[in-house]
Amino acid sequence: MSQWHLRTRRTSYAVSLTPDASGAVSDYWGPALAAGEDPTPWSEPDRFVGYASEADAQPLEYASDGQRHTAFSELLIDRGDSRTGARWTLHGEPQWRSDASGDELELVFHDETETLHLVLGYRSSRDHDVIRRWTRIANHGSDTVTLPRAFSAAWNAPVGQRVRVDYLAGSWGREFQARSAQVHWGTFSIGSRQGVTGMSFSPVVRVSALPDDDDDVATRSGADAYGVALDWSGSWRLQVETAAVGSHARVSAGVDDDVTTVTLLPGEEFRTPDSLGAYAASAIELSSRWHEFQRGLARERGSQTQPIVYNSWMATTFDVDIAQQLELARRAAAIGVETFVLDDGWFRGRMSDRAGLGDWQPDPAKFPKGLSELADGVEALGMRFGLWVEPECVNPDSDLFRAHPDWVYRAEGRPLLTIRNQYVLDLGREEVALWVMATLRDLLSSAPIGYLKWDMNRPVTDGGRAGDPHGRQWSVQHTRNYYRVMDMLRAEFPDVVVEACASGGARIDNAVLQRSDVVWTSDQVGPRDRLVIQHGFLSAYPSWTMSSWVAEDDGHRDREAASLGYRFAVAMCGVLGIGLDLSRTSDADLEECGRRIEAYRGIRDVILAGDVRTHGDPHRGLYTVEYTAESRTVLFVFDRDRDRARDRDAARVYPAGLRPHTRYDVRDGYGRTMGRQISAEEAGVRGVPVTFSWAPDADVLILDAVEA
């Protein structure tokens, strides 16, 4: 067998060996092939390769220097003394498994010295359309080998030479901005050198063909779409390349090769992070394919793992004490909050961000009886108690740093660099990882804590470890020990909800979604700015992880006033949280908060379990977020139009997820019938009228299927 056909729920992916068995090439990636139908194996096209070798023109699934000569290679090999690269030959029989659950393939190659082994791994599932790929490189020789680049995979998307690339970019308070670029015989590259996923870019792209007569970068929802992501939370790089020879866009992905060099001592092996690929017939469908895959990452969805949270940070910042927090908890319970989270400022010596980080014991001046008094008080009010931590970082002014100054990342002979008055612990060191696990075990055992918000407020600088042959793998080691700690929390404290946060959205990716219940998308809580962030987020990540707060802050960029109802509607698009200073909230607003929280409870199952689609542009006009689950559709409608003189009576939305030939009862956001029904066909053609009964600038509509 020289061709392998991996099938997903709706798609097919086929690879075969090159004629000389020196590598694997892409034969097909697209809609599911019929039973018994196999794609034609790749062959040299009728064209002049020109100033290159055959391997430089082939759609190789993975390439190294020495195998390729002029084109980009995913693997760079340095054996010392100017000996670089490798030539590969298939070794042994390919390992192929296929059953009702999916397919798995491993192809093993060895180099010309037979001391390096390269394994290409593939896995598909019948439950979704995402294919996993990985690579293993093993050194069976007697000399040390270094890998200046060790990417995970190359994906050859058959979209031609002129390509549109959609990606997510941003910065603090402006994460997940939807952006696009055209690539025509060139290279587009994004990544992170920060030791975490990063805010600058998210490790996922969508590529599609761009017709020659289309010079803009407007959304084209009808084009075949190919998505590639990294299942990784450390430094990374993702590159899209098209060339004058060939009909594919090559998407290469892996750990960042600027800051990461892998060292293989004799007998050692390196396994790359997984890369993920998915095909869909349109950009909208591709988002749904990612969400379908991510449902399998979540342990469950609902009030136990995505509770309605009140977080005290914006009310009290560092100035916390037991009496004040209990009063906030009483007010939070009265409006229907399910979990009360005490944020920063609770631990020993923490009066500002200049001291205390790393000393994870309650401050005796603020909590003379420990955390149990507050936790018990919160539980007595019918809520769970939660806590903020930042276990990877340390202040210079802390007992931890004074005891272990060697535990932080540092460049030998260079002054330490503080960002936000803190350093980063070298979590890749075994003693640091063990300390973090022991600290969290002690903390979670000290009081009835049911929610943990894990933060990380600065990038890694001066990463590395002097005297360690694997010191240039610090980002890989840090990330894998982060997973190790997160996996420990899930195994030993299964009832604790874990919220992943990194100064906002700096560590959000599919690997984090697998190990957490909720993610903090951004520190930006201004509702209009936040809506734009959530729009981009939902294109690649799911609503049931997207924590969002109702708060007083108007935002950092778009500060146009928004009603309390608008703020609730934005936050209700995901996992609802409250960040208001409840000690200053009026009785009327508290009552309104209670009504809207109760309304959220009535539709939460649709938001957490439903299919999500977005309609329009969150920057202007009417913008809609649509959730559909079984017989119910929920529509969040936002008015971003600055022209208040337009005809509001003409506002209509056009849901796309309704069941054909079905009539729907139209209800308002509180579940009250509005006395009218509409068919799916009528809604698609004439639209659903928007009355703005929820708020003057936002509306929530519920469409319930009427039984025949």
Side-chain angles (χ1 to χ4, degrees):
M1 184 177 186
S2 59
Q3 186 186 67
W4 297 270
H5 185 170
L6 293 95
R7 292 175 170 85
T8 71
R9 185 173 180 180
R10 305 173 190 84
T11 70
S12 296
Y13 188 94
V15 298
S16 64
L17 293 173
T18 59
D20 60 358
S22 63
V25 292
S26 173
D27 290 333
Y28 180 85
W29 189 14
L33 298 171
E37 179 186 6
D38 289 316
T40 302
W42 180 90
S43 60
E44 179 64 33
D46 184 17
R47 64 187 177 207
F48 292 105
V49 173
Y51 200 62
S53 68
E54 284 191 16
D56 291 311
Q58 292 170 324
L60 291 172
E61 292 280 282
Y62 196 79
S64 73
D65 57 337
Q67 178 185 27
R68 277 188 154 185
H69 300 280
T70 60
F72 182 84
S73 295
E74 286 71 36
L75 179 64
L76 300 181
I77 301 165
D78 187 350
R79 307 168 194 262
D81 195 24
S82 298
R83 294 175 300 152
T84 60
R87 295 278 182 90
W88 303 101
T89 304
L90 185 69
H91 178 69
E93 288 296 319
Q95 301 299 304
W96 169 256
R97 178 195 63 79
S98 181
D99 57 31
S101 65
D103 307 311
E104 188 164 345
L105 170 67
E106 281 201 346
L107 300 172
V108 182
F109 301 86
H110 63 66
D111 74 336
E112 65 272 20
T113 70
E114 299 189 2
T115 60
L116 279 184
H117 284 205
L118 173 70
V119 180
L120 306 184
Y122 301 77
R123 185 181 302 122
S124 68
S125 171
R126 307 288 189 263
D127 294 332
H128 52 74
D129 288 324
V130 171
I131 296 169
R132 284 188 178 271
R133 292 183 54 194
W134 63 92
T135 302
R136 300 201 318 269
I137 307 104
N139 179 12
H140 295 284
S142 58
D143 296 325
T144 297
V145 175
T146 59
L147 309 176
R149 179 187 301 139
F151 275 14
S152 301
W155 302 83
N156 295 285
V159 292
Q161 298 176 338
R162 194 164 189 266
V163 176
R164 171 190 167 107
V165 182
D166 290 277
Y167 60 102
L168 299 172
S171 57
W172 180 84
R174 203 185 183 192
E175 300 91 327
F176 302 104
Q177 305 292 299
R179 295 291 182 266
S180 63
Q182 295 183 21
V183 181
H184 188 194
W185 297 7
T187 300
F188 175 83
S189 178
I190 58 176
S192 167
R193 301 179 183 89
Q194 300 172 0
V196 293
T197 317
M199 291 185 184
S200 299
F201 304 100
S202 187
V204 57
V205 296
R206 180 177 72 235
V207 296
S208 55
L210 191 66
D212 289 339
D213 60 355
D214 186 356
D215 292 326
D216 62 27
V217 289
T219 299
R220 299 171 55 252
S221 61
D224 283 359
Y226 293 84
V228 173
L230 265 173
D231 203 26
W232 187 240
S233 315
S235 297
W236 58 275
R237 185 153 75 93
L238 201 155
Q239 174 177 294
V240 182
E241 181 183 30
T242 67
V245 177
S247 59
H248 296 76
R250 185 177 184 86
V251 186
S252 305
V255 296
D256 179 73
D257 52 342
D258 282 343
V259 300
T260 303
T261 297
V262 174
T263 299
L264 293 178
L265 300 178
E268 289 187 336
E269 176 182 278
F270 177 72
R271 188 193 191 282
T272 69
D274 288 359
S275 182
L276 310 172
Y279 161 80
S282 69
I284 293 173
E285 285 189 22
L286 183 60
S287 295
S288 296
R289 300 297 174 261
W290 285 127
H291 298 162
E292 180 181 65
F293 162 72
Q294 290 152 352
R295 287 189 184 97
L297 303 180
R299 53 176 174 171
E300 62 179 284
R301 286 166 288 160
S303 60
Q304 292 303 305
T305 49
Q306 287 86 25
I308 300 167
V309 165
Y310 178 77
N311 186 292
S312 65
W313 171 252
M314 302 193 81
T316 59
T317 62
F318 298 103
D319 184 20
V320 302
D321 61 55
I322 180 67
Q324 156 220 72
Q325 295 296 310
L326 281 173
E327 178 57 28
L328 286 171
R330 281 190 283 270
R331 289 174 173 261
I335 62 174
V337 166
E338 296 164 343
T339 294
F340 179 90
V341 177
L342 171 62
D343 209 279
D344 201 348
W346 60 269
F347 45 95
R348 187 158 47 86
R350 189 67 162 177
M351 304 303 294
S352 70
D353 66 3
R354 294 183 174 276
L357 202 62
D359 299 338
W360 299 107
Q361 301 85 33
D363 191 319
K366 300 176 180 181
F367 300 96
K369 298 180 181 179
L371 292 173
S372 292
E373 183 179 10
L374 177 57
D376 291 342
V378 167
E379 285 200 335
L381 292 166
M383 300 181 294
R384 284 188 288 177
F385 175 65
L387 207 59
W388 175 94
V389 293
E390 192 177 358
E392 296 160 273
C393 291
V394 62
N395 285 128
D397 185 4
S398 68
D399 290 344
L400 176 64
F401 182 73
R402 284 185 282 270
H404 299 286
D406 55 322
W407 279 12
V408 302
Y409 286 111
R410 63 175 71 232
E412 198 70 29
R414 187 183 301 163
L416 286 169
L417 175 67
T418 56
I419 298 178
R420 202 176 178 263
N421 302 305
Q422 62 194 57
Y423 307 134
V424 181
L425 295 174
D426 182 354
L427 190 60
R429 296 174 60 144
E430 180 67 8
E431 62 269 35
V432 175
L434 292 175
W435 175 85
V436 170
M437 287 190 281
T439 298
L440 292 177
R441 284 190 186 102
D442 290 345
L443 183 60
L444 292 173
S445 301
S446 68
I449 299 169
Y451 192 104
L452 195 69
K453 180 169 184 172
W454 180 317
D455 208 344
M456 167 68 158
N457 274 305
R458 59 154 288 179
V460 178
T461 50
D462 292 327
R465 202 174 303 112
D468 184 346
H470 298 99
R472 290 293 305 276
Q473 292 167 231
W474 62 267
S475 176
V476 175
Q477 296 164 336
H478 188 118
T479 303
R480 287 179 172 163
N481 273 348
Y482 167 71
Y483 295 158
R484 182 178 164 194
V485 179
M486 294 286 276
D487 291 342
M488 178 277 293
L489 291 173
R490 180 65 56 88
E492 297 184 22
F493 301 92
D495 295 330
V496 174
V497 174
V498 176
E499 177 180 350
C501 173
S503 198
R507 186 154 58 190
I508 294 175
D509 51 73
N510 285 290
V512 167
L513 298 188
Q514 185 177 343
R515 294 168 170 85
S516 60
D517 300 294
V518 179
V519 294
W520 181 234
T521 317
S522 177
D523 286 347
Q524 172 64 266
V525 294
R528 297 185 184 276
D529 289 338
R530 184 70 181 221
L531 190 64
V532 176
I533 292 169
Q534 294 181 178
H535 171 76
F537 179 92
L538 289 173
S539 70
Y541 303 111
S543 57
W544 61 84
T545 66
M546 187 176 71
S547 175
S548 189
W549 291 357
V550 178
E552 288 100 345
D553 193 342
D554 286 332
H556 303 154
R557 292 171 177 84
D558 187 344
R559 299 182 60 82
E560 182 178 346
S563 69
L564 186 59
Y566 187 105
R567 296 167 189 269
F568 261 95
V570 172
M572 287 165 62
C573 286
V575 182
L576 177 61
I578 308 297
L580 299 164
D581 182 355
L582 296 181
S583 67
R584 298 189 303 156
T585 306
S586 69
D587 291 343
D589 282 349
L590 284 174
E591 185 178 348
E592 182 180 347
C593 288
R595 290 197 307 271
R596 296 188 188 278
I597 288 173
E598 187 60 28
Y600 175 75
R601 277 204 186 88
I603 56 177
R604 172 165 52 185
D605 58 338
V606 180
I607 296 165
L608 300 186
D611 296 324
V612 59
R613 299 172 177 84
T614 58
H615 305 273
D617 185 341
H619 292 93
R620 61 180 65 87
L622 281 181
Y623 172 73
T624 305
V625 186
E626 174 188 355
Y627 298 86
T628 302
E630 298 180 353
S631 62
R632 172 169 274 197
T633 291
V634 177
L635 303 167
F636 293 93
V637 186
F638 302 92
D639 182 7
R640 296 279 305 210
D641 199 327
R642 303 302 192 262
D643 180 11
R644 298 303 178 188
R646 71 181 179 84
D647 183 5
R648 294 288 293 273
D649 293 335
R652 291 175 179 268
V653 294
Y654 299 83
L658 303 183
R659 297 192 309 210
H661 315 301
T662 303
R663 293 195 64 79
Y664 287 83
D665 184 28
V666 182
R667 300 176 180 272
D668 68 12
Y670 297 99
R672 301 173 300 206
T673 183
M674 301 180 74
R676 67 177 187 270
Q677 291 185 356
I678 192 168
S679 69
E681 289 70 25
E682 182 184 1
V685 174
R686 298 179 56 191
V688 180
V690 182
T691 62
F692 295 95
S693 60
W694 177 265
D697 46 3
D699 209 353
V700 181
L701 297 172
I702 302 170
L703 305 182
D704 281 331
V706 178
E707 297 297 330

